[in-house]
Amino acid sequence: MEKITVSLGERSYPITIAAGLFNDPASFWPLKAGDNVMLVTNQTLAPLYLEKLSTLLTAAGVKVDQVILPDGEQYKTLAVMDQVFTALLQKPHGRDTTLIALGGGVIGDLTGFAAASYQRGVRFIQVPTTLLSQVDSSVGGKTAVNHPLGKNMIGAFYQPASVVIDTDCLHSLPPRELASGLAEVIKYGIILDGEFFTWLERNLDLLLTLDTQAMAYCIRRCCELKAEVVAADERENGQRALLNLGHTYGHAIEAHMGYGNWLHGEAIAAGMVMAARTAEGLGQFKTDDVDRVIALLQRAGLPVHGPEEMKAEDYLPHMMRDKKVLAGELRLVLPLSIGRSEVRSGVTHDRVLAAINDCQKS
Amino acid sequence: MEKITVSLGERSYPITIAAGLFNDPASFWPLKAGDNVMLVTNQTLAPLYLEKLSTLLTAAGVKVDQVILPDGEQYKTLAVMDQVFTALLQKPHGRDTTLIALGGGVIGDLTGFAAASYQRGVRFIQVPTTLLSQVDSSVGGKTAVNHPLGKNMIGAFYQPASVVIDTDCLHSLPPRELASGLAEVIKYGIILDGEFFTWLERNLDLLLTLDTQAMAYCIRRCCELKAEVVAADERENGQRALLNLGHTYGHAIEAHMGYGNWLHGEAIAAGMVMAARTAEGLGQFKTDDVDRVIALLQRAGLPVHGPEEMKAEDYLPHMMRDKKVLAGELRLVLPLSIGRSEVRSGVTHDRVLAAINDCQKS
C-alpha cells in the first residue's frame, strides 16, 4: 500500500493507493460507525461498484444513501449538482454528513463542489476510479462545474478528508479513458520531473497493460508531484498554474468541440504539443524535446494534432476566457526543457496562432 | 461616519456606515481606477441607484458592467445565480474582477455566493440597502441560495472586501421591510446586550421615523455585536449559532408559507416569541421578559403569532432540516434573560409544540 500526505496545515489529508482497497472499510478513513454517507456516482459505475461499497460500509455501521447521476462531462453542471442537494435534503442529511465521490473527474469535481456548498461545507471523501482522476483531479481541492460559456468556471477550493485510490478500478476503464489519464501523467514529466519522463519512455508499455507495480508507482509519483505543488500554492497564485500545461489550448478544443466529444486528456495532449510548439517558436524549448513529447503521446494512443474542424482562429476567444488571463492578457504555461516549465505572459497572439497551425494535420 | 473592522486575520474587512456614501467613490474601498466591476442588483433598486453608482464609479476610472435580477426571495436560487455567471462570462470578466452586491439580503447572499464560486473565488463588496441586510446579512460572510427543500441550504462562508452602508437608502424602504429589519435589531438585544434592548425600548419611535442619528447608532451597535460574534466563531461552531434566535421556528414559517409571503424578519419575530415561550416553559426565561419581547416587537409593527394557516405539527419537519440539527437532534437557541442566551439540545418535541401552540392566535 502506498500512502502520501498532502500537507495543508489543518486541511491536510492522506491519499491511499493500492489494489483491493474496496474490500476493507478501514480504507475509507475517517468514516466510522454511526456516520451518515451520501455516495455519489454515475450510471456507468453504479452497477460495477455501488452494491459492493454500500454493503462494505453498511456492515461497518455506516448509514449509506446514494445518488446516481448521468455519466458524462456534459452533466457537470449546476443543474445536475442540484440533484445531489435534493437527495441530501430529502432524507434529510445534516451538516455532519459525508459525501463520497465515487467516479472520475466529473463526479469528483461536482461532488466536491456539492460538499463545499451543502450547508456551506460538509466532509467529503474522493474515490477516483479513472487514471485521470487518480493522478490529477482527486489531489488538490479544485472542485467545479462547467458553464456553457466556460469549463470549470463555477467552483471552490475545497479539500477532501481523504482520497482512496483502488487501482483495481482501472481494469474496467475503456482504453480511450486510460490514454486520457496518461496525458496528465506525461504532463507531470514535462513540467516538473525529467527523470519521471524518462521512466515513462521506458515503462509506457507496462502501464498500457496495467502492470500493477508500474501503475502503482506511476500514480504515487504523480500524486506526490501534484501534492508538492499544491502544498506550496493551495490557491493557485503561482507555481500551481504549471499544472495547467496544455490546458489553455486544450480547454479551447473541449469548449469548441462540445464537452465530452474530445476527452479531457485527448484535448490536453494536443494542447501540450501546441504549448511545446509555442515554446519552440520562442526559442526556449528544443525541437528534439518537442519530438520526444510527440512520440510519447503517440505511443500512449493520444492525439498530437488539433481537431480538423477547428481553425487556429477558433482557439483564441476560448483561450481569452482562461482563468490565468490577467488584465486582458493571456498567460501560458510553456516548457523550458523536459522537466522544467514556466508561466509566461507577453506571448503575441500571432505566435500562438502559428504554433496552433503547426499542429494542424497536414 | 461610523467605521468598524470585522477582525478575521487576513480576511478582515471594514464596514463603513454614514449618510451620503453613494456620493463619494472613496466609499467603495478597495476599488481603484482600472478595476473591473460587475454590479449586481435587482429590478426594484436598479432605477433608484444603478445609474448614480455606475456614473460615480466610471468617473473614478472603474470599468462597470451590470446585471439586474428579478426582485424577491423566490429568486434566490442556483438558476438565478447562473445569470450572474453568464453575465460575467459574456464580457468576459477574469479572476481579477470585483462583484458589488447592491441590494438587500437576497442580492447580498446570492452575489456573495456567486463571488465565492466564480472562478473559485473573486473579490466582492457588499452594499446593503435594507435595514435587515445592513444589520445582519452583510456582516459575517454567510452567503447562500435557497433550495425548494430548505432555505440557505447551498452556499459558502466567504468574506467581502468591504461593506458600505449608506443610511440614505432606508428612505426608499417600504414600512414592512423596515419592520422586518427591526426584528433582527431586537434579536441582538435579546441574545447579547440587555442595555441595547433597553435603548431600543426608549428609542424605537425615533428608529421608526428614520432619525439619522439614532439609526446610525443602531446599525453600528448591531454590526459591532455581530462582528464580535463572527470574529470569535467564523464558521459557526459555537457562539455564532446564537445569532439564529427565532430562526429555527422562523425558517419553518418561511418554508411552509412559501418564501417571500412572510418577510424574513416577520417570520423571525414570531419565531423569537416561540423561542421565548419554549424557554419560559423550561423555566429558564421569565414571563415578564417574554412580555417585554412581545411588546417591543408589536411596537415595531411585527407579528408575534404564527400564521393562522399553520398548525404546530407543520413546524417540526421543517425544523428538523435546520443546520443546527446534529445526529438527528434539534438544537435551539433559547434566551436565558434579556441580553443572554444559549444553544440548547434535549428539548422535547412536545415542549416545542406546546410553545408554538402558545403563540397561535386565539
Side-chain angles (χ1 to χ4, degrees):
Chain A
M1 182 184 297
E2 311 267 6
K3 207 148 185 165
I4 302 167
T5 299
V6 183
S7 300
L8 295 166
E10 59 180 24
R11 289 186 306 288
S12 295
Y13 61 91
I15 304 173
T16 314
I17 307 159
L21 289 178
F22 285 7
N23 301 315
D24 180 4
S27 307
F28 294 85
W29 182 92
L31 279 187
K32 57 176 197 313
D35 282 351
N36 290 310
V37 154
M38 179 61 77
L39 235 162
V40 184
T41 192
N42 67 34
Q43 286 162 348
T44 307
L45 294 166
L48 297 175
Y49 304 114
L50 201 53
E51 199 184 326
K52 177 174 185 165
L53 275 188
S54 181
T55 306
L56 182 83
L57 293 173
T58 305
V62 175
K63 203 181 150 292
V64 181
D65 289 315
Q66 58 192 54
V67 56
I68 301 172
L69 305 177
D71 183 13
E73 180 84 30
Q74 66 271 40
Y75 299 109
K76 192 172 133 181
T77 62
L78 277 180
V80 173
M81 186 169 76
D82 205 28
Q83 296 179 24
V84 178
F85 298 133
T86 302
L88 286 162
L89 287 164
Q90 270 168 346
K91 294 291 169 175
H93 282 244
R95 225 183 228 178
D96 53 356
T97 191
T98 302
L99 270 57
I100 294 184
L102 172 69
V106 171
I107 287 290
D109 286 3
L110 182 150
T111 305
F113 187 35
S117 306
Y118 184 62
Q119 303 210 14
R120 300 196 187 91
V122 298
R123 194 166 69 171
F124 89 113
I125 296 175
Q126 287 271 27
V127 186
T129 58
T130 65
L131 180 59
L132 186 90
S133 58
Q134 289 172 350
V135 300
D136 178 40
S137 58
S138 69
V139 187
K142 274 189 173 183
T143 72
V145 295
N146 298 328
H147 184 283
L149 294 176
K151 202 171 143 73
N152 291 328
M153 280 295 160
I154 311 163
F157 286 97
Y158 198 69
Q159 305 298 340
S162 75
V163 178
V164 181
I165 298 180
D166 187 336
T167 51
D168 287 343
C169 292
L170 299 178
H171 292 283
S172 61
L173 202 63
R176 254 185 92 189
E177 298 270 359
L178 183 71
S180 182
L182 287 171
E184 296 280 359
V185 169
I186 292 166
K187 181 195 76 179
Y188 288 107
I190 302 171
I191 56 173
L192 290 170
D193 189 344
E195 251 176 70
F196 181 54
F197 190 90
T198 304
W199 183 90
L200 288 170
E201 289 179 319
R202 292 197 186 126
N203 293 281
L204 190 75
D205 298 340
L206 287 175
L207 295 178
L208 288 168
T209 56
L210 298 179
D211 177 87
T212 307
Q213 206 185 331
M215 191 53 90
Y217 170 76
C218 169
I219 295 171
R220 199 201 74 198
R221 186 68 198 127
C222 292
C223 288
E224 267 173 3
L225 286 165
K226 181 151 185 187
E228 279 168 28
V229 172
V230 169
D233 180 21
E234 188 180 358
R235 298 190 72 91
E236 194 168 336
N237 299 309
Q239 200 202 356
R240 184 162 176 175
L242 297 183
L243 299 172
N244 272 311
L245 176 70
H247 285 58
T248 306
Y249 307 83
H251 284 168
I253 295 175
E254 289 180 278
H256 188 87
M257 300 300 288
Y259 292 126
N261 292 315
W262 273 53
L263 295 184
H264 179 65
E266 292 169 344
I268 268 47
M272 288 194 292
V273 179
M274 291 170 190
R277 288 277 180 225
T278 305
E280 183 194 22
L282 289 163
Q284 69 177 51
F285 193 62
K286 285 188 291 180
T287 304
D288 279 1
D289 287 339
V290 180
D291 293 341
R292 280 178 75 192
V293 168
I294 290 175
L296 190 58
L297 292 170
Q298 282 183 316
R299 281 175 62 202
L302 287 159
V304 296
H305 303 285
E308 290 176 48
E309 306 89 318
M310 208 172 158
K311 286 187 221 119
E313 292 69 30
D314 295 332
Y315 286 74
L316 274 176
H318 295 290
M319 292 175 79
M320 293 310 292
R321 288 200 196 97
D322 187 78
K323 286 193 283 294
K324 289 186 294 303
V325 167
L326 271 189
E329 197 185 2
L330 206 50
R331 293 191 309 147
L332 293 168
V333 182
L334 298 178
L336 294 160
S337 62
I338 300 243
R340 221 157 52 85
S341 52
E342 64 167 5
V343 179
R344 180 156 176 172
S345 46
V347 183
T348 64
H349 288 193
D350 282 351
R351 173 80 61 198
V352 171
L353 291 173
I356 295 170
N357 271 322
D358 278 350
C359 298
Q360 297 291 80
K361 218 169 201 153
S362 53
Chain B
M1 181 183 299
E2 312 265 6
K3 204 146 189 169
I4 301 166
T5 299
V6 183
S7 300
L8 294 168
E10 60 180 25
R11 290 186 306 287
S12 295
Y13 62 90
I15 303 173
T16 314
I17 307 159
L21 288 179
F22 286 5
N23 301 316
D24 181 3
S27 307
F28 294 85
W29 182 91
L31 279 187
K32 57 178 197 313
D35 282 351
N36 290 310
V37 153
M38 178 61 77
L39 235 162
V40 184
T41 191
N42 68 34
Q43 285 161 348
T44 308
L45 294 166
L48 297 174
Y49 304 115
L50 202 51
E51 198 185 328
K52 179 174 183 167
L53 275 188
S54 182
T55 306
L56 182 83
L57 293 174
T58 304
V62 175
K63 203 182 149 292
V64 182
D65 290 312
Q66 57 191 55
V67 56
I68 301 172
L69 304 177
D71 184 13
E73 180 84 30
Q74 66 271 39
Y75 300 109
K76 191 172 132 180
T77 63
L78 277 180
V80 173
M81 185 170 75
D82 205 28
Q83 297 179 23
V84 178
F85 297 134
T86 302
L88 286 162
L89 286 165
Q90 271 168 345
K91 294 291 171 176
H93 282 244
R95 224 182 227 177
D96 53 354
T97 191
T98 303
L99 269 59
I100 294 185
L102 173 69
V106 171
I107 288 290
D109 287 3
L110 183 150
T111 305
F113 186 35
S117 307
Y118 183 62
Q119 304 208 13
R120 300 196 186 91
V122 299
R123 195 166 70 172
F124 90 113
I125 297 175
Q126 286 272 27
V127 186
T129 57
T130 65
L131 181 58
L132 186 90
S133 57
Q134 289 171 352
V135 300
D136 179 38
S137 58
S138 71
V139 188
K142 274 188 175 186
T143 72
V145 295
N146 298 327
H147 185 281
L149 294 175
K151 203 172 141 74
N152 292 328
M153 281 293 160
I154 311 165
F157 286 97
Y158 198 71
Q159 305 298 341
S162 76
V163 178
V164 181
I165 298 179
D166 187 336
T167 53
D168 287 344
C169 292
L170 299 178
H171 292 281
S172 60
L173 201 63
R176 254 185 93 188
E177 297 270 0
L178 185 70
S180 181
L182 287 170
E184 296 279 0
V185 168
I186 292 165
K187 181 195 76 178
Y188 288 106
I190 302 171
I191 55 172
L192 290 169
D193 189 345
E195 251 176 69
F196 181 55
F197 190 92
T198 305
W199 183 90
L200 288 171
E201 289 178 318
R202 291 196 188 126
N203 293 282
L204 190 75
D205 298 339
L206 287 175
L207 296 179
L208 288 168
T209 56
L210 298 179
D211 176 88
T212 308
Q213 207 183 333
M215 191 53 90
Y217 170 75
C218 170
I219 295 171
R220 199 202 72 197
R221 187 70 196 125
C222 293
C223 288
E224 267 173 2
L225 287 165
K226 181 151 186 188
E228 279 168 30
V229 172
V230 169
D233 180 20
E234 188 181 358
R235 299 190 71 90
E236 194 169 336
N237 300 307
Q239 198 201 357
R240 185 162 175 175
L242 297 182
L243 298 172
N244 272 310
L245 176 70
H247 284 57
T248 306
Y249 308 84
H251 284 168
I253 296 175
E254 289 179 278
H256 188 87
M257 299 301 286
Y259 293 128
N261 292 314
W262 273 54
L263 295 183
H264 179 67
E266 292 169 344
I268 267 48
M272 288 193 293
V273 179
M274 292 169 189
R277 288 279 181 224
T278 306
E280 183 194 21
L282 289 162
Q284 69 176 51
F285 192 64
K286 286 188 292 181
T287 304
D288 280 1
D289 286 339
V290 180
D291 293 341
R292 279 178 73 192
V293 168
I294 290 176
L296 190 57
L297 292 170
Q298 283 184 314
R299 282 175 59 202
L302 286 159
V304 295
H305 304 284
E308 289 176 49
E309 305 88 318
M310 206 172 159
K311 285 186 223 124
E313 292 71 27
D314 296 331
Y315 286 74
L316 273 177
H318 295 289
M319 293 175 79
M320 292 310 293
R321 286 198 198 100
D322 186 78
K323 285 193 284 293
K324 288 187 293 304
V325 167
L326 271 189
E329 197 184 6
L330 208 50
R331 294 191 307 148
L332 293 167
V333 181
L334 297 178
L336 293 160
S337 63
I338 300 239
R340 222 157 53 85
S341 52
E342 63 165 7
V343 179
R344 181 158 174 170
S345 46
V347 183
T348 64
H349 288 191
D350 282 353
R351 173 81 62 199
V352 171
L353 291 173
I356 295 171
N357 272 321
D358 278 351
C359 298
Q360 298 291 81
K361 218 168 204 154
S362 55

